[in-house]
Amino acid sequence: MRAARQAVDLLLRAENTWRFEDPQHGLSDQEWMVLRFLARANSFSRSPSALAQFVGTTRSAVSQLLKGLEAKGYVERRPSVEDKRSVSLRVTPQGDKMLTRDPIGPLVNAISALELGANNFRDALRDVLGRLGTNQHRHHADNCGECIFLSSASDPAKGKAQMEFTCRFFRSGINSAEMDLLCFKFEQRRLDRAGG
């Protein structure tokens, strides 16, 4: 239990890389969160309502954050291809350039250099979040590969090596480039804990 408590203390110290009071490179911590999410979000998740759900705030508050990022030239709104009444958000090339200065960059580099490996660290954190249960924390986003809504089927026309992926929630195909992107409708597959 002592090591677990120390690990939590260390995670709280690491939080300083993504939560801060003074702007970093001209952006607040919430503006950075918005920019990061939109850069990593799949096409289903680039809407103001998905963004509000991810950030854990109201659509009105997200609207203000988006206005600030749009004024700085980092984000733009476009009419949605699927629903002309809604908009799709995207990071501009200027926003991509700003992301190279992201305050969490050193944290990403430190995790990448871990001796135990970034994959093992990621999997351990995913396991911890799974054990906490979704009722104890706000909705989170993750990639399609870990989601209960992902289905795959071989496409005979493309051979066994090619797989076609579908999101059962959105009832839409997912291309391989989007498999690693974040989705706001993510639901973790239930792991069998009987073995350990």
Side-chain angles (χ1 to χ4, degrees):
M1 189 61 101
R2 182 176 179 214
R5 171 59 65 194
Q6 290 171 341
V8 169
D9 291 341
L10 293 170
L11 280 173
L12 291 173
R13 281 181 49 201
E15 183 184 26
N16 292 334
T17 60
W18 65 85
R19 289 193 192 252
F20 41 84
E21 290 186 28
D22 297 326
Q24 302 287 320
H25 306 292
L27 298 178
S28 71
D29 57 354
Q30 285 200 319
E31 287 174 316
W32 277 112
M33 185 185 297
V34 167
L35 202 57
R36 269 183 224 118
F37 177 73
L38 291 177
R40 296 257 311 120
N42 66 17
S43 59
F44 308 119
S45 302
R46 293 186 200 127
S47 70
S49 58
L51 185 56
Q53 190 172 353
F54 177 76
V55 174
T57 190
T58 65
R59 282 195 56 166
S60 175
V62 161
S63 180
Q64 292 304 310
L65 289 167
L66 287 170
K67 283 179 185 177
L69 290 169
E70 285 177 295
K72 293 172 184 171
Y74 300 145
V75 172
E76 67 181 10
R77 297 173 198 244
R78 291 188 174 171
S80 173
V81 175
E82 291 82 27
D83 181 1
K84 298 298 180 195
R85 297 170 295 164
S86 60
V87 296
S88 178
L89 305 167
R90 85 170 193 87
V91 176
T92 65
Q94 189 174 343
D96 284 331
K97 187 176 178 181
M98 179 56 118
L99 280 164
T100 64
R101 303 171 76 189
D102 190 343
I104 68 163
L107 179 62
V108 171
N109 294 337
I111 291 170
S112 179
L114 285 174
E115 189 173 318
L116 69 99
N119 289 343
N120 291 333
F121 185 73
R122 177 206 59 213
D123 294 345
L125 285 176
R126 189 173 273 143
D127 185 49
V128 167
L129 287 174
R131 291 172 189 268
L132 290 175
T134 56
N135 294 334
Q136 295 179 348
H137 51 82
R138 72 174 180 238
H139 190 82
H140 69 278
D142 207 331
N143 65 56
C144 296
E146 302 297 323
C147 185
I148 63 170
F149 297 122
L150 179 70
S151 66
S152 61
S154 295
D155 184 351
K158 296 179 180 177
K160 288 186 176 182
Q162 288 280 349
M163 296 292 282
E164 183 178 298
F165 298 98
T166 303
C167 175
R168 293 190 314 265
F169 184 88
F170 289 106
R171 295 187 174 121
S172 181
I174 300 171
N175 64 41
S176 59
E178 287 198 305
M179 288 294 293
D180 192 39
L181 298 179
L182 299 175
C183 183
F184 81 107
K185 287 297 184 183
F186 171 84
E187 284 194 34
Q188 179 73 42
R189 281 190 217 136
R190 302 290 181 249
L191 300 175
D192 180 16
R193 303 247 185 252

